[in-house]
Every structure is written in C-alpha cells, then in structure tokens.
C-alpha cells in the first residue's frame, strides 16, 4: 500500500507555459488540474474530475496552446487556484468516504507538478495547501520497482510503460484526461497478477525548513549544493527556503555569505538532501524573489563547509536549542553587558533562557566587536525585537536583522581567526624568503603620530588633501600620505597621513576636524602607526574603528596585472622585491633664504608588494605614473637641482641601489631612447648599454622587445 493508504488519487497538472519535462521552470501559473481515485483494495476506479484554473495573468504561451489545445477563453471564467484546491479537497474527501475508505495518497507521473509548480505557486500566493500535497508516489519509480528491466525510472514515459506491459495507448486527445487514464491503467495492471505490487516509495515535501549547525568535519555531497546569487540583503534562511519551496533542504542547509565587512553580500549556499533536489533547484535559475530575480549555480561541499562549518563549542552550545528564531544585533557599545541588551529588548521580547540566549562576538583577545546574536522562542517575540531596529542603546543606534545558524558560525569564524600577520610565506613563484616587515610599510608603533581622514569625496586626490591640510602640510613626513582603496580599487573615502610628531597629529585633528572639502565635511582623527599599518596590511575600516585583517596571511595587493609580471629564474634580492613605483628617489627638500619653511617633496601612494596574493577589504593605492604623483610645491622662485645618485639612495632606504622598476603603457612604436629620456627629464638616469642603444634605433628590434614585454637599459627596467 502507499504508506498504508487505502486509495490513490491519480493527479495531473498543466501550466500556462512549459509542460512535460520542463514543467515549472518558467514560473508560469497552473491552469489545469485533473484527478481520479483508485481503490487499492477493490481495484475500483472513481469519477474523473477536470478543473480549469484562472491564473493571475491571463496569457498562454504559444507552446502551451500547441501542447494543451487550450485558449484564454477556456480559463477566463474559471476559479482561481485557492478555490479549485478547496473543490479538490472536498471532492476527494467525500468520494473516499463513499468508498468506505479513510486514507489516500497522491499518485503522479512526475514530481514536477508537486515540487516545481504547485508548491512554489502556493508559496508566492500565500496559500495553505491541504496535507495531501505533502506526500506522493511517482508511478514511474513504482513501475521501475515492479519491472526493473523496463529501463531507468527517469527515462520512462507513460507510453513506454504501457507498451512494456502490453496495454494499448489511451486514445483520448484532451490533455490531462489522457495522462490520468494512462496512469490509472498502469496502476491497475501492476496491482493485479502476476505483479501484485505494493505502493511503498512515498516521497515527502518538508513542511518547513529546520535550522541547525554543521561541523567542519561533516561530509557534504558536492552534488547536493547550489549557490544562489542576487538575494535581497535582508533575506533570511526562511526566505531562501521559501524560494525553494517544494524541494527538501537539509537541516541547517542554508548558509548566507558575508563580505569582508561582515555584511551579507546577496549570496547563499544551499544544501539539499540529494542530487535530485539539487537538479530541480537549478531549474529555478532566474526565478523571482519579490521583484528580484535569483541566479542559481552549482557549488561544492567544500564551499558550503567553508561558510557554514564551525568547530566552536560555545557556538554549538548556543545553537543546540531547537526551533529558535535567531536575531543579529550590530553596533552595540563595547561596554554593553547582557543586562543592558535584555533591558533594551524589553519584556515584550523575552530572550530564551535569559542571558544564556545571548552570544557576544569577540576578537581572540577578548575585545568586543559590537555584534551579538539573540535567541527567541517564537516568531512573535522576534518580530517585537525587530521593531527596535535603529533604536538607541547608550549613545549608539542598534541594527537588528534576522540571522541563521550558518551566519553565526561564519561571523564567529571570521572574528576568531588570527588578527595580525607574524610572517609571510615564501612566494610560490620566487624562491626567496620574504621579509616579515616589508620596508615600504611603516614600523608598527603605538605612538599616535598619524591622522585618519574619513569622509573624503571619492574624487579627492592627494593635491586636494594637501590643500585641505593647509599650513600643516609642512609637518607631513616624506611619503606620508596613504590613500585607501576598496575591493574594487576605487577610493574608499579614507586616507592616512603620517605627521612628524604626535603633537603635530593632535594639532591637525583639532583644527581640521569636520573642515569642508568639496562641499563635504571630513572627519579627522588622531591614530597610531600600528592602527594605520593594520589597514595597509589588509585590515578593515568601519564606523566604530579599526578591525584587524580577518585572514591569517597578509593581503597587500589584489590579484591584478601587477602580480603577473614575468619573473626571471634567478634568485632576486630582497631589495629587488620591493620596487617603488617611481624611476628614482623623490626630489629632496630644498630650502632657500626666501622661503625657509616651505619644501618641495613628493607624496606617492603606498607601493605594492608584487606577489600573486589574495586581498581583503582595503589595500594601499596602486602605483601611478609620474604625471599623477601628488606633491605640494614650493614658491615658484624655488629652483631644484638634480640630485646625485648616491645621495638619492641615501635619502630613501626604500629604493635599491641598482635602480627602480616601472611600467610604461601607450608608447608610440616610433619612440626612441631620447624621447624616453626627455620624458623623464629631471630624474637621475645612468648610462645605458651600447648594445641596447643600438637595438632601440632599430624599428624591428623595438617591436620585438615590446612583444617580449621587457626592456632593460642600464639601471632602468621597463615592463609593459
């Protein structure tokens, strides 16, 4: 019997779009339902019922019209889906009662009508489906179990199954009626001798999604995981489960992805109970959640574990309580206590087990991050808590969001990772040891001789910053202006400036704070070199301060073309590994009798370490061409003399003794060496090799060298 049922309800449905093997893949609404009852004990058949359904959008695709033979006129006067489902429930209940039976189970020729059409549409329309639609038997799988030599269950069709048992195909032309009568014939055939089949392979549809935890050691089938992209940022695991309604998601199988700042990035990894449900989920690619379409792609078990897996006993104990609603609080004062949070939520939002239902997120050294997770025993309490969104606790407004068990794991994993970098690994492409502290980064110090500028216009350059600083520019250290870019390489609105002393930094913070730059006020804070170094080494900036890098390795530069320079097979020196973006040392400060206080110096953005490495939220500015190097100029009367090579090297310990590395783009093919030297007039350039000089005078050789992407003459290396 079908899970001990007395009767089968043979069921068929059609939509206004794709049907057959693509049923439900285009989000079209149901327009036809057909059903008929079969008594499993007496082998009797009930009355056949056919009902049209009026969709919200009265439009049929050409393919639907061709396959079903229906027109808009056939459905325009029909009842909507909720009314038809009520008729179905009443009809089946009364007919089963007339037969003297009490239980019944759906029988379909494919799970698509239940999983991909009926449940998703009911979910979108907020309809409560009768219990009968949460379990069913697939006539193809039952037939394969009865006749295993007939072929794979997924490839069986009603026509092929009838042919296998020697029954004639149903001649009925009306869609739905033909399929239901064919299934009834097959059912009666396998119930009779010699098969005497018992329907037992009952498939179920989950009533709701169960949250839970996932261990990093738990095996996860890569054939059961998908990645959903384009989710609304405020969507929860329940919203994602609703999008995949009809498909069974594994317990705790929704993992929302976070970006480098700990905020949701619109992606989620979803783990289903098997590959069959995963394949059906892929058919929902570009289906809609509200007004947004969601992209669905394959993913791996390793990716899922990276996001959802956890090993913390504290988290496991926190999430061990079943059927709890999780709320994330963000922006808490660092001094907030559990009692403060409970008082903030109030008696209308009681937390499960009081303080035991709170989990504060902290750094490895015990410092609070301002994040916390809260458990509520029911949806009503969680809704009351969400009404507190952006209300004030202490002097800060608090953000509240729905959260998931996987997000708890991910946030804890992120903050509990090693915050600072102790050593760098050897480069995978250069067999040389890498310095623990690259020479172009300032030595970490707690001395507060730096200032942080926040809220800069995105169009602001170094010249604008120097103009903003006014008279305080003379107190900036050489190479002391550092622009901070975001992940996309665009200005983040932040910058760091190294001053000559803590007193100078304090004075700048006092006098320039909230001063206007291009119609925007800029905040200026005093900070330490250590804090600045954290950001330049990959740490993150946020409104509440500085956070250390979430990864264990330094992230100095994005994986761009800078990491793709050809590497010679010879072992490079440490000096050659840290090349600055300029041809020679910046011009040294010059003083005159007329202007003793003003100097002329360059402040290039921080150079990169040229290695193929990942990156986090922020990283130093990339190298720029000499025409865009920021500087503040002295009086026009000040003349600057060329600096000897040995003096330049002494003035800038960053530069190696044998020259610097640059890249030139957009050179005309008829460019000669004299043109290049003229372009770099004012810089110290050593003489070049005579062979290479001869090469440059040859048009053919010049083109050849450009193709090889490398040109070397004397102390200057040009990489294209």
């Amino acid at each position: 019997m079908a899970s001990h049922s007395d009767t089968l309800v043979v069921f068929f449905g059609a939509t206004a779009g794709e049907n057959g093997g693509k049923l439900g893949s285009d989000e079209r609404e149901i327009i036809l339902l057909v059903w008929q009852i079969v008594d499993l004990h007496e082998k009797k058949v009930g009355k056949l019922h056919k009902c049209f359904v009026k969709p919200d959008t009265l439009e049929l695709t050409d393919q639907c019209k061709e396959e079903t033979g229906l027109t808009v006129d056939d459905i325009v006067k029909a009842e909507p889906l909720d009314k038809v489902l009520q008729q179905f429930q009443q009809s089946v209940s009364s007919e089963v009662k007339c037969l003297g039976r009490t239980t019944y189970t759906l029988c379909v020729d494919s799970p698509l009508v239940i999983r991909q059409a009926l449940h998703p549409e009911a979910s979108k329309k907020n309809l409560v489906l009768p219990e009968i639609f949460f379990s069913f038997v697939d006539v193809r799988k039952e037939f394969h179990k009865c006749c295993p030599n007939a072929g794979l269950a997924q490839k069986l069709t009603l026509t092929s199954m009838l042919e296998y048992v020697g029954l004639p195909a149903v001649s009925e032309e009306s869609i739905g009626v033909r399929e239901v009568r064919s299934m009834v014939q097959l059912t009666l055939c396998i119930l009779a001798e010699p098969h005497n089949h018992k329907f037992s392979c009952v498939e179920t549809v989950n009533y709701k999604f169960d949250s839970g935890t996932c261990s990093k050691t738990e095996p996860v089938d890569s054939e059961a995981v998908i990645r959903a992209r384009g989710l609304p940022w405020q969507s929860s695991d329940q919203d994602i489960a609703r999008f995949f309604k009809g498909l069974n998601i594994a317990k705790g199988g929704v993992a929302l992805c976070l970006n480098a700042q700990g905020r949701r990035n619109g992606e989620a990894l979803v783990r289903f109970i098997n590959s069959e449900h995963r394949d059906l989920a892929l058919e929902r690619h570009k289906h809609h959640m509200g007004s947004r379409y969601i992209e669905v792609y394959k993913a791996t078990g390793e990716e899922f574990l990276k996001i959802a897996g956890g090993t913390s006993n504290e988290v496991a104990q926190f999430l061990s309580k079943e059927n709890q609603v999780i709320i994330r609080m963000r922006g808490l004062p660092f001094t907030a206590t559990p009692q403060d949070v409970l008082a903030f939520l109030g008696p209308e939002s009681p937390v499960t087990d009081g303080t035991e239902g709170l989990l504060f997120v902290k750094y490895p050294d015990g410092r609070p991050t301002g994040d916390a997770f809260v458990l509520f025993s029911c949806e009503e309490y969680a809704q009351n808590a969400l009404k507190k969104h952006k209300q004030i606790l202490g002097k800060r407004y608090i953000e509240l969001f729905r959260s998931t068990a996987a997000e708890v794991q991910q946030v804890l994993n992120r903050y509990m990772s090693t915050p600072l970098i102790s050593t760098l690994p050897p480069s995978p492409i250069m067999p040389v040891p890498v310095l623990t502290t690259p020479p172009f980064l300032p030595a970490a110090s707690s001395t507060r001789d730096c200032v942080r500028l926040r809220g800069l216009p995105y169009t602001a350059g170094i010249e604008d910053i120097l103009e903003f600083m006014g008279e305080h520019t003379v107190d900036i250290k050489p190479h002391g202006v550092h622009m901070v870019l975001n992940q996309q390489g665009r200005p983040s609105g932040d910058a760091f400036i190294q001053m000559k002393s803590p007193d100078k930094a304090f004075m700048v913070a006092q006098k320039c704070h909230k001063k206007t730059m291009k119609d925007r006020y800029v905040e200026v804070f005093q900070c330490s070199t250590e804090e600045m170094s954290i950001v330049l080494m990959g740490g993150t900036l946020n409104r509440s301060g500085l956070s250390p890098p979430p990864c264990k390795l330094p992230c100095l530069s994005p994986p761009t073309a800078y990491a793709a320079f050809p590497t010679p097979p010879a072992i490079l020196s440490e000096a050659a590994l840290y090349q600055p973006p300029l041809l020679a040392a910046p011009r040294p400060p010059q003083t005159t009798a007329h202007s003793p206080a003003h100097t002329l110096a360059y402040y290039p953005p921080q150079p990169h370490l040229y290695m193929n490495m990942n990156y986090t939220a922020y990283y130093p500015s990339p190298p720029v061409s000499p025409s865009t190097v920021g500087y503040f100029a002295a009086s026009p009367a000040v003349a600057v003399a060329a600096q000897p090579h040995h003096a330049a090297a002494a003035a800038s310990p960053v530069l190696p003794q044998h020259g610097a590395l640059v890249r030139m783009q957009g050179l005309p093919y008829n460019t000669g060496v004299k043109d290049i030297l003229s372009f770099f007039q004012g810089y110290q350039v050593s003489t070049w090799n005579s062979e290479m000089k001869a090469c440059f005078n040859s048009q053919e050789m010049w083109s050849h060298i450009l193709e090889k992407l490398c040109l070397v003459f004397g102390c200057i290396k040009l990489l294209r």
Side-chain angles (χ1 to χ4, degrees), residues 557-700:
S557 61
T560 62
Y562 299 116
F565 288 164
T567 305
I571 296 178
L572 300 179
S573 66
E574 291 177 346
L577 191 59
Y578 299 102
Q579 298 285 358
L582 298 179
L583 284 171
R587 297 175 182 175
Q590 300 288 330
T591 59
T592 66
H594 302 285
S595 181
H598 293 280
T599 60
L600 177 63
Y602 285 92
Y603 290 90
Q606 199 71 13
H608 280 261
L609 173 62
Y610 294 133
M611 295 179 63
N612 190 5
M613 307 175 70
N614 293 326
Y615 60 94
T616 52
Y618 295 89
Y619 47 86
S621 307
V624 294
S625 62
S627 61
T628 59
V629 172
Y631 67 94
F632 60 91
S635 170
V638 178
V640 181
Q643 181 186 14
H645 180 69
H646 60 85
S652 179
V654 176
L655 289 172
Q657 293 294 327
H658 300 291
L661 184 68
V662 297
R663 180 187 184 191
M664 299 185 68
Q665 289 180 310
L667 286 173
Y669 277 94
N670 59 355
T671 301
V673 176
K674 292 183 179 180
D675 299 318
I676 296 175
L677 296 178
S678 175
F679 177 79
F680 290 121
Q681 187 173 5
Y683 292 92
Q684 289 294 325
V685 182
S686 299
T687 57
W688 57 90
N689 184 283
S690 58
E691 290 185 12
M692 296 310 299
K693 179 179 179 182
C695 290
F696 296 150
N697 293 329
S698 167
Q699 175 70 27
E700 179 180 355

Side-chain angles (χ1 to χ4, degrees), residues 544-565:
S544 59
L546 295 166
S547 298
C551 60
K552 297 183 179 180
L553 295 178
C555 303
L556 302 178
S557 61
T560 62
Y562 299 116
F565 288 164

Side-chain angles (χ1 to χ4, degrees), residues 425-444:
S427 168
I429 58 175
M430 292 180 291
V432 294
V434 180
L435 298 179
T436 301
T437 305
F440 56 78
L441 288 178

Side-chain angles (χ1 to χ4, degrees), residues 80-98:
L81 181 62
D82 57 337
K83 299 293 184 183
V84 174
L85 291 177
Q86 290 180 8
Q87 296 176 17
F88 168 84
Q89 181 70 10
Q90 295 171 0
S91 170
V92 170
S93 298
S94 61
E95 195 167 347
V96 168
K97 187 176 181 180
C98 291

Side-chain angles (χ1 to χ4, degrees), residues 18 47 172 324 579 634:
E18 294 276 4
K47 179 182 177 182
E172 175 65 44
Q324 299 291 309
Q579 298 285 358

Side-chain angles (χ1 to χ4, degrees), residues 363 367 419-421 441-445 484 496 528-541 545-550 554-556 616-620:
Y363 290 114
R367 291 182 297 116
L420 294 176
I421 300 92
L441 288 178
S445 170
V484 182
F496 285 93
S528 67
T529 311
E530 181 180 15
E531 291 174 316
M532 182 184 71
S533 298
I534 289 176
V535 176
L536 298 183
M537 289 290 285
T540 59
L541 291 167
L546 295 166
S547 298
C555 303
L556 302 178
T616 52
Y618 295 89
Y619 47 86

